[in-house]
Amino acid sequence: MIVMTQTAVGWHIELEFQEDDTHTRAVALVRLSDGTEVKAHGHASRHHTDANQPRVGEEIAGARALNELAMQLLTKAHGEIDSASGRTSHSINV
């Protein structure tokens, strides 16, 4: 009988925002189980004719930061695959 053990792994992603009347900046940070931290930034600008809706700016800047975080994680994973295999692997697509 083969017994398989599973390890539960979880990531907590932190998002922080800085805002003024026209700009929202977001920083996304994740700490990985290998001890590394991956950080990414996102930005949103409000057009002067749009209503001031800070939540919308946060959503846009946050989404952009998370998208950049995802791309950095894919690049990191791709490099680790190449290092472990000793060859160049196929690109990892989103």
Side-chain angles (χ1 to χ4, degrees):
M1 176 198 242
I2 298 175
V3 177
M4 299 185 71
T5 59
Q6 293 182 336
T7 302
V9 176
W11 292 354
H12 295 276
I13 298 171
E14 298 175 23
L15 274 173
E16 293 183 0
F17 300 95
Q18 291 181 335
E19 300 174 273
D20 61 31
D21 288 340
T22 57
H23 299 92
T24 304
R25 290 169 189 80
V27 178
L29 172 73
V30 63
R31 290 178 186 89
L32 303 175
S33 57
D34 67 1
T36 60
E37 291 183 350
V38 181
K39 184 187 287 189
H41 298 85
H43 182 263
S45 296
R46 180 177 64 85
H47 190 272
H48 69 277
T49 61
D50 291 338
N52 190 5
Q53 297 178 290
R55 181 184 48 80
V56 173
E58 290 169 3
E59 290 169 353
I60 293 169
R64 289 176 174 162
L66 291 170
N67 186 56
E68 177 60 29
L69 186 68
M71 297 310 295
Q72 288 184 35
L73 288 168
L74 284 170
T75 299
K76 182 180 183 309
H78 189 63
E80 291 172 359
I81 291 168
D82 289 353
S83 292
S85 68
R87 61 180 172 76
T88 302
S89 58
H90 295 285
S91 296
I92 300 172
N93 297 314
V94 179

